[in-house]
């Protein structure tokens, strides 16, 4: 589909809305042309706002007067045409951003809860079900967000290594098979960056709220390597009274008793063991070198080691997964009684090996999978407490973190709602600096790949000098 942009700056939002409806189809954005080439969508702001969709068999135009929000008006016109053209409605309406709850919370504070819900449904065309879900997540977060002080910040540490690369993965991570020789030097540099970051935080008199070690798979590291990393974090920062210290132990085949003991002794309070599915055939299909039995064993070993806050991740829409096998995975997880369950909707990016899909089948199947989750988890005491979306998600759905009361992950809420600064350390990490008196955010990017992180380390550290400058400019430090 050719998307023509005439006299407006909304091309990014219109392109994303097209992708949501025309999943898997190439969208070509065109700003200058001599002739319109079918199939095409023409979006124009001149005397009025106009959207035309033409593919030979279908040719219709929607138009509206200019308004105070031309972007939303154009999105609604485009939505109307695409819905008629495809015969679909999107559960999140015209919303294409990552953080719908952040928007819902902002609207709720400005106009009240009922009017925020009305705005979501009537103006943004969000379904009643997703509007109610947004309200539930917003309510669940309030208790944690009210504790977010002006001097608060969180620490994210990246371990960009995995045993193997999953076929759906688009994260910046490398398999240990390919990058084993980099790990020791990477850890040396990472520990230095953590110490530098801690000195900056102390000089600014900031208060650490949470620590999250992700990746990749942090438990790809050996027990001794984990001990070294955790020791540096604990000696560099004051971690005694933080709300959360999470380490992703995502791949069950990397979980050992020695590693779990190292995590427990270092004060880690929460871990994530991620089966993704309890179907061995699906695991083989996506390139995971572990079995469902290994995931069960890893969970039980974590319990025996004393972990009383365990999350489990699952993905709806994996290739060859059926509704029955997905239900089995959720039911199996519930039988283990974890404190939280995170359900992701598969989002297939260009950088993932898994790309071409049977989209018609998945539109209904993936929605049915999430419907089962929303039916089962509340009945077992789970509450939806954080939510985010990605581009190219099957069925235009979402990722939801479910947890029992008292086990919400503060870090997950902080990162999604962007309520305070998060200092990122390691390859691919991003430092997000937030001005507490406005919505202004500034980002400092670390180099993506471990070899680049190592070779250009000094250059990357110089970027962190911006943290002190930012706080002097915006937060009065």
């Amino acid at each position: 589909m050719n998307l023509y942009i005439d006299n407006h700056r909304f091309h990014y939002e219109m392109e994303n809305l097209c992708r949501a409806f025309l999943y898997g189809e190439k969208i070509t954005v065109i700003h200058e042309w001599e002739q319109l080439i079918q199939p095409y969508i023409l979006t124009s702001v001149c005397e009025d706002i106009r959207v035309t969709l033409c593919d030979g068999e279908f040719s219709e135009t929607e138009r509206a007067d200019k308004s105070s929000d031309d972007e939303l008006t154009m999105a609604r016109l485009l939505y109307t045409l695409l819905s008629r053209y495809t015969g679909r409605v999107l559960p999140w309406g015209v919303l294409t951003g990552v953080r719908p709850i952040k928007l819902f919370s902002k609207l709720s504070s400005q106009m009240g809860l009922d009017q925020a819900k009305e705005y979501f449904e009537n103006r943004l065309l969000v379904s009643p079900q997703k509007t109610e879900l947004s309200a539930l997540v917003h309510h669940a977060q309030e208790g944690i967000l009210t504790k977010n002080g002006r001097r608060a910040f969180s620490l994210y540490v990246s371990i960009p290594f995995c045993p193997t690369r999953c076929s759906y993965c688009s994260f910046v991570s490398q398999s240990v098979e390919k990058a084993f020789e980099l790990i020791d030097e990477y850890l040396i540099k990472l520990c230095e960056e953590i110490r530098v970051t801690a000195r900056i935080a102390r000089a600014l008199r900031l208060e650490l709220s949470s620590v999250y070690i992700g990746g990749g798979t942090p438990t790809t590291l050996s027990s001794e390597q984990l001990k070294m990393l955790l020791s540096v974090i604990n000696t560099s920062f004051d971690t005694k009274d933080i709300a959360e210290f999470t380490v992703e132990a995502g791949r069950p085949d990397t979980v050992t008793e020695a590693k779990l003991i190292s995590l427990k002794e270092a004060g880690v309070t929460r871990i994530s063991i991620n089966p993704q599915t309890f179907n061995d055939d699906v695991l083989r299909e996506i390139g995971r070198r572990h079995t469902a039995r290994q995931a069960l064993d890893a969970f039980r070993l974590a319990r025996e080691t004393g972990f009383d806050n365990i999350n489990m991740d699952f993905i709806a829409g994996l290739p060859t997964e059926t509704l029955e096998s997905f239900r089995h995975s959720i039911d199996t997880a519930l039988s283990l009684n974890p404190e939280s369950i995170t359900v992701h909707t598969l989002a297939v990016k260009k950088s993932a090996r898994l790309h071409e899909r049977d989209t018609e089948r998945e539109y209904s199947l993936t929605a049915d999978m999430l419907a089962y989750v929303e039916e089962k988890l509340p009945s077992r005491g789970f509450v939806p407490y954080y939510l985010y979306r990605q581009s190219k998600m099957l069925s235009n759905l979402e990722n939801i973190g479910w947890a029992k009361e008292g086990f919400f992950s503060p870090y997950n809420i902080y990162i999604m709602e962007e309520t305070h600064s998060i200092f990122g350390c390691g390859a691919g990490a991003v430092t997000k600096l937030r001005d507490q008196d406005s919505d202004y955010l500034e980002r400092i990017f670390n180099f993506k790949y471990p070899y680049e992180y190592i070779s250009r380390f000094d250059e990357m550290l110089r970027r962190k000098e911006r943290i002190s400058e930012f706080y002097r400019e915006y937060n009065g430090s």
Side-chain angles (χ1 to χ4, degrees):
M1 181 70 72
N2 294 314
L3 174 61
Y4 292 95
I5 309 298
D6 180 24
N7 197 37
H8 66 84
R9 300 187 303 274
F10 317 138
H11 60 92
Y12 180 76
E13 293 77 11
M14 299 309 115
E15 179 185 0
N16 281 340
L17 190 55
C18 287
R19 292 191 190 284
F21 274 102
L22 306 174
Y23 186 90
E25 185 172 334
K26 182 179 179 182
I27 309 295
T28 303
V29 180
I30 303 171
H31 293 268
E32 296 181 3
W33 64 91
E34 295 181 356
Q35 181 181 356
L36 298 174
I37 300 174
Q38 295 185 17
Y40 70 79
I41 296 170
L42 173 62
T43 59
S44 177
V45 178
C46 294
E47 293 83 7
D48 57 9
I49 301 172
R50 189 174 305 189
V51 179
T52 298
L53 194 159
C54 184
D55 77 344
E57 296 180 1
F58 183 100
S59 182
E60 293 190 16
T61 297
E62 290 283 334
R63 66 190 69 192
D65 294 335
K66 291 182 180 179
S67 67
S68 59
D69 193 343
D70 289 350
E71 180 182 339
L72 177 56
T73 300
M74 178 173 286
R76 287 167 57 90
L77 297 180
L78 178 58
Y79 181 98
T80 300
L81 277 182
L82 284 168
S83 181
R84 197 177 301 146
Y85 177 66
T86 62
R88 296 190 184 116
V89 294
L90 301 181
W92 287 99
V94 300
L95 289 180
T96 59
V98 173
R99 297 175 170 83
I101 308 305
K102 182 178 180 180
L103 174 60
F104 186 90
S105 298
K106 181 179 179 180
L107 291 171
S108 183
S109 66
Q110 291 174 345
M111 58 180 66
L113 179 63
D114 289 341
Q115 287 196 326
K117 292 165 73 171
E118 183 179 343
Y119 189 91
F120 254 47
E121 288 190 39
N122 296 335
R123 294 287 291 158
L124 302 179
L125 309 180
V126 178
S127 72
Q129 179 193 25
K130 298 306 178 186
T131 298
E132 191 58 37
L133 176 62
S134 299
L136 288 172
V137 175
H138 164 72
H139 177 72
Q141 293 180 350
E142 287 183 307
I144 287 177
L145 292 179
T146 55
K147 301 175 184 177
N148 181 48
R150 288 184 61 84
R151 313 300 300 178
F153 79 102
S154 291
L155 175 69
Y156 176 79
V157 178
S158 169
I159 306 297
F161 304 100
C162 284
T164 58
R165 187 178 178 90
C166 298
S167 61
Y168 55 79
C169 182
S170 62
F171 288 117
V172 178
S173 60
Q174 292 186 304
S175 69
V176 171
E177 297 164 327
K178 295 182 178 180
F180 180 79
E181 69 279 1
L182 296 176
I183 293 179
D184 285 340
E185 189 174 2
Y186 176 82
L187 282 176
I188 292 170
K189 297 294 188 185
L190 176 60
C191 289
E192 183 178 347
E193 185 187 8
I194 290 169
R195 294 187 186 100
V196 168
T197 303
R199 287 197 292 270
I200 294 172
R202 282 197 301 273
L204 294 170
R205 302 184 306 281
L206 301 180
E207 299 170 359
L208 183 64
S209 292
S210 63
V211 177
Y212 196 103
I213 305 179
T217 306
T219 44
T220 300
L221 303 181
S222 68
S223 175
E224 291 304 314
Q225 289 168 332
L226 284 169
K227 283 182 182 178
M228 179 184 73
L229 174 63
L230 294 165
S231 175
V232 169
I233 293 172
N234 283 325
T235 56
S236 301
F237 293 92
D238 182 2
T239 59
K240 294 190 299 295
D241 298 317
I242 60 176
E244 172 188 9
F245 196 147
T246 287
V247 174
E248 290 186 358
R251 296 284 285 263
D253 46 337
T254 67
V255 176
T256 67
E257 183 178 15
K259 293 178 186 180
L260 290 170
I261 290 172
S262 295
L263 299 180
K264 192 68 178 173
E265 290 179 345
V268 172
T269 59
R270 180 178 180 272
I271 62 172
S272 187
I273 296 173
N274 303 334
Q276 310 300 10
T277 175
F278 279 113
N279 184 320
D280 284 340
D281 292 337
V282 177
L283 289 170
R284 283 190 292 270
E285 181 73 19
I286 63 177
R288 304 270 288 195
R289 291 186 184 173
H290 67 82
T291 63
R293 170 53 57 187
Q294 285 176 293
L296 294 169
D297 291 343
F299 184 93
R300 292 183 179 121
L301 185 59
R303 282 286 196 239
E304 292 167 3
T305 310
F307 283 97
D308 57 5
N309 190 354
I310 304 176
N311 173 70
M312 304 191 87
D313 274 14
F314 295 89
I315 299 177
L318 289 172
T320 74
E321 186 90 272
T322 65
L323 180 58
E324 291 70 26
S325 66
F326 179 80
R327 287 175 172 174
H328 167 73
S329 292
I330 297 300
D331 291 345
T332 302
L334 289 172
S335 73
L336 297 172
N337 199 26
E339 284 63 45
S340 58
I341 294 175
T342 304
V343 181
H344 300 268
T345 300
L346 182 66
V348 182
K349 306 298 182 67
K350 288 182 179 178
S351 57
R353 295 199 312 273
L354 181 66
H355 193 57
E356 297 300 327
R357 308 302 305 275
D358 180 359
T359 56
E360 291 298 329
R361 168 183 172 272
E362 288 157 346
Y363 248 87
S364 59
L365 177 59
T366 311
D368 289 344
M369 290 175 175
L370 262 65
Y372 185 73
V373 171
E374 293 177 20
E375 171 193 340
K376 292 287 289 189
L377 266 60
S379 67
R380 296 293 295 272
F382 290 87
V383 175
Y385 78 96
Y386 87 104
L387 180 156
Y388 68 101
R389 305 183 65 233
Q390 297 167 269
S391 64
K392 300 187 178 180
M393 298 189 87
L394 297 183
S395 303
N396 194 242
L397 291 166
E398 67 280 327
N399 303 321
I400 308 180
W402 298 80
K404 297 176 182 176
E405 292 284 354
F407 292 98
F408 302 164
S409 162
Y411 177 85
N412 283 334
I413 295 175
Y414 297 148
I415 191 69
M416 282 303 124
E417 305 314 307
E418 299 179 322
T419 58
H420 69 210
S421 295
I422 295 179
F423 296 170
C425 294
V430 180
T431 292
K432 294 183 178 181
L433 304 175
R434 187 183 190 278
D435 174 21
Q436 289 296 326
D437 295 319
S438 71
D439 284 335
Y440 178 68
L441 278 171
E442 191 170 312
R443 292 170 173 82
I444 303 172
F445 294 89
N446 282 9
F447 292 115
K448 285 186 177 182
Y449 301 102
Y451 67 86
E452 192 178 21
Y453 175 88
I454 292 167
S455 64
R456 302 176 69 180
F457 185 73
D458 291 341
E459 177 185 348
M460 190 198 64
L461 280 191
R462 286 194 291 272
R463 296 180 183 181
K464 276 194 153 46
E465 296 172 4
R466 176 57 189 160
I467 296 176
S468 299
E469 297 171 358
F470 178 91
Y471 274 86
R472 284 195 295 270
E473 293 174 19
Y474 290 98
N475 289 322
S477 296

